[in-house]
Amino acid sequence: MSLPVADLIPFAARRRRVLEWMQSQGGGIALVATAPQVMRNRDGDYPYRHDSDFYYLTGFIEPEAWLVLIAGAQTRSVLFCRQRNEAQEIWEGRRVGPEAAAERFGLDDAYPVEQLSECLPPWMLDRPCLWLSQSARPAVQETARTALRAAHDQARAGARAPATLRDLDPVLAEMRLIKDGSEIAAMRRAARISAGAHARAMRAARPGMREYELEAELLYEFRRHGAQAPAYNSIVAAGANACILHYPAGDAELRDGDLVLIDAGCEFDSYAADITRTFPVNGRYSGPQRALYDLTVAAQQAAADATAPGRHWDEGHQAALRVLAQGMLDEKLLQGSLDGVLESGAYARFYMHRTGHWLGLDVHDVGDYRGPAPQPGAPRPWRLLEPGMTLTIEPGIYVPRADDVPPAFWDIGIRTEDDALITEEGCELITRGVPVDAREIEALMRE
Ligand code: GLY
Ligand code: MN
Ligand code: MN
């Protein structure tokens, strides 16, 4: 839990940016809550995961914590957190406590969380605006509204409660979209560990194994390298299960001659990796498998080539679509012309998702995919890519069993997914510690 001082700098810098933004908007008070602990079943919790925005601004990972930012003539950053409690700490683990938290986390002050509702109303007085995440859970919104009501009750001549409520989400989303050095370092670490886990699963795979056995290889590799958790539920999908996009690792057998699709990534210091590889259970792609596999790799390369500063968000997707649609025509999955199937959307029968998403503290990270409208009412253009943005590039192809589909391709589901960091020149795929080239994968599986 204890962070060296140097590691606090990015959190303090982010708070400063938010506070400066608030000041530029006339000042106010902002409230950010962490995530609640959630019960799984009788006396058992789900593994705790803090709120991403709260973590982004504090680095604090205990539950029952709030950050209050005050932007007036001066600025203040105040944490509310659980008090030390010897008896409970014996059961639940150590707590920082408000006495140590302010210094430890570089804040102006820290108080017991029980004092939040009493402190908030007077702090709100004479602040023109309350900033709150509009996506905050109902209990957080309720706390804020109750405090606001109490501030109105306490208001006297010359001291007013905030008159406006403003959304903090777009401010934080915009900041989180461009990763700073410490974020990129954590993402590289998550990427490296996750790539190693995929390589481990490839080496371990044998006909007759079960999906959960490969999942165990992934989890082992994540944890033994210090990743705190999987960034999302691992998908390990044997054979036709790969055509179910969010199939969780189950107990299906890995059959000789089938492919297995693994979509898994770890979370390292709160940052996600998100990798998909699809490989042959027996170590060699069949002809039809290889044809579709190479198609997803070519589509991914086309998308990566279109992923660079100044290019817009959708260019990668369109580049991948063209390659995939042409491949579907070449393999007789579709009939017609390339422009025709792109126009009609006929490719969506075999490729029904987009080619990527922002990646960061959340696996589907925050950030607008479109820029502002050039004039009111006009369509909003796709966002231009900038250095420091991080996203996935993940084309796939999923072929159902159907009379009008060549049987050689039935039940094949393939996705190839890497994580890209936009650089000054283009993009860097930070998850290539595990190969994508079919021959390289086959060579790895022979090791
Ligand atoms: N692993 C979730 C996704 O690829 O979007
Ligand atoms: Mn993804
Ligand atoms: Mn994924």
Side-chain angles (χ1 to χ4, degrees):
M1 169 57 78
S2 116
L3 291 167
V5 170
D7 286 345
L8 298 176
I9 291 169
F11 299 107
R14 293 168 200 156
R15 288 195 300 272
R16 206 160 43 243
R17 276 185 68 192
V18 175
L19 284 160
E20 280 167 10
W21 164 258
M22 288 165 63
Q23 276 177 321
S24 77
Q25 302 293 303
I29 178 166
L31 193 57
V32 185
T34 196
Q37 268 176 312
V38 182
M39 205 55 102
R40 181 173 182 276
N41 55 355
R42 204 176 157 80
D43 281 350
D45 291 338
Y46 280 106
Y48 182 68
R49 170 56 158 74
H50 42 267
D51 175 80
S52 295
D53 282 339
F54 179 83
Y55 176 82
Y56 182 74
L57 294 174
T58 61
F60 193 77
I61 59 172
E62 287 183 30
E64 294 181 66
W66 298 68
L67 174 69
V68 179
L69 296 174
I70 301 174
Q74 268 119 37
T75 62
R76 272 177 87 203
S77 298
V78 183
L79 181 76
F80 287 82
C81 64
R82 298 181 306 187
Q83 296 195 73
R84 301 289 314 267
N85 180 319
E86 211 174 314
Q88 283 193 3
E89 287 180 50
I90 288 171
W91 291 90
E92 295 167 6
R94 298 199 177 85
R95 300 175 177 187
V96 173
E99 297 76 13
E103 196 189 331
R104 183 94 67 89
F105 289 86
L107 297 143
D108 295 311
D109 261 318
Y111 296 99
V113 66
E114 292 79 8
Q115 292 178 17
L116 178 74
S117 54
E118 176 190 328
C119 289
L120 278 180
W123 293 0
M124 284 180 171
L125 291 179
D126 271 343
R127 309 283 169 209
C129 176
L130 170 63
W131 297 77
L132 184 72
S133 159
Q134 297 296 294
S135 63
R137 62 199 149 91
V140 173
Q141 310 247 7
E142 187 51 36
T143 300
R145 284 180 194 283
T146 303
L148 204 48
R149 220 165 29 238
H152 276 286
D153 290 346
Q154 288 175 19
R156 299 282 176 273
R160 293 214 173 129
T164 50
L165 183 60
R166 286 188 64 181
D167 189 5
L168 203 51
D169 283 340
V171 180
L172 292 176
E174 200 58 24
M175 285 173 63
R176 282 175 53 186
L177 188 51
I178 310 287
K179 273 66 183 176
D180 63 33
S182 68
E183 296 184 283
I184 291 169
M187 291 188 72
R188 285 188 186 282
R189 191 92 176 258
R192 195 162 61 239
I193 296 169
S194 303
H198 277 261
R200 182 183 183 94
M202 285 176 184
R203 286 193 195 95
R206 299 278 179 279
M209 283 175 82
R210 301 280 168 171
E211 291 166 340
Y212 55 74
E213 291 178 79
L214 285 191
E215 183 189 22
E217 300 288 340
L218 298 166
L219 297 177
Y220 176 71
E221 195 71 8
F222 291 167
R223 279 305 270 153
R224 92 190 179 98
H225 289 288
Q228 290 80 5
Y232 53 94
N233 294 332
S234 305
I235 296 169
V236 181
N241 291 338
C243 295
I244 301 166
L245 295 179
H246 286 167
Y247 176 88
D251 61 3
E253 185 179 336
L254 274 52
R255 290 189 321 214
D256 200 347
D258 276 354
L259 295 173
V260 58
L261 179 154
I262 297 183
D263 182 345
C266 70
E267 182 172 294
F268 186 89
D269 282 359
S270 303
Y271 286 83
D274 183 6
I275 306 180
T276 308
R277 292 291 184 268
T278 311
F279 54 92
V281 167
N282 64 14
R284 272 196 81 82
Y285 293 91
S286 71
Q289 289 168 351
R290 177 72 188 267
L292 297 192
Y293 183 80
D294 287 349
L295 187 55
T296 66
V297 175
Q300 196 199 34
Q301 188 57 53
D305 291 343
T307 300
R311 308 292 292 266
H312 71 62
W313 166 258
D314 200 43
E315 284 185 66
H317 179 58
Q318 294 303 329
L321 268 189
R322 281 191 87 74
V323 173
L324 289 172
Q326 184 59 56
M328 292 173 198
L329 290 166
D330 295 344
E331 300 298 345
K332 310 276 186 279
L333 291 167
L334 291 177
Q335 277 74 45
S337 68
L338 179 58
D339 287 342
V341 302
L342 288 172
E343 174 107 16
S344 68
Y347 60 81
R349 186 178 179 200
F350 307 106
Y351 183 48
M352 60 297 282
H353 58 78
R354 290 193 55 87
T355 306
H357 49 82
W358 304 128
L359 180 74
L361 285 165
D362 297 312
V363 66
H364 290 179
D365 209 27
V366 293
D368 216 330
Y369 290 98
R370 291 182 183 270
Q375 63 255 354
R380 295 172 59 205
W382 293 106
R383 177 122 205 181
L384 296 184
L385 300 176
E386 296 171 43
M389 291 176 169
T390 46
L391 58 139
T392 65
I393 306 180
E394 50 176 307
I397 186 162
Y398 313 90
V399 187
R401 252 168 210 267
D403 289 343
D404 60 342
V405 168
F409 298 123
W410 281 1
D411 290 339
I412 292 179
I414 296 172
R415 181 163 60 257
T416 300
E417 177 174 26
D418 282 286
D419 301 344
L421 165 67
I422 308 292
T423 60
E424 296 296 332
E425 298 81 33
C427 74
E428 179 188 345
L429 299 178
I430 60 174
T431 40
R432 283 295 177 85
V434 56
V436 288
D437 178 80
R439 275 157 311 195
E440 286 177 40
I441 289 178
E442 289 177 345
L444 181 71
M445 293 184 72
R446 280 196 296 275
E447 276 174 18

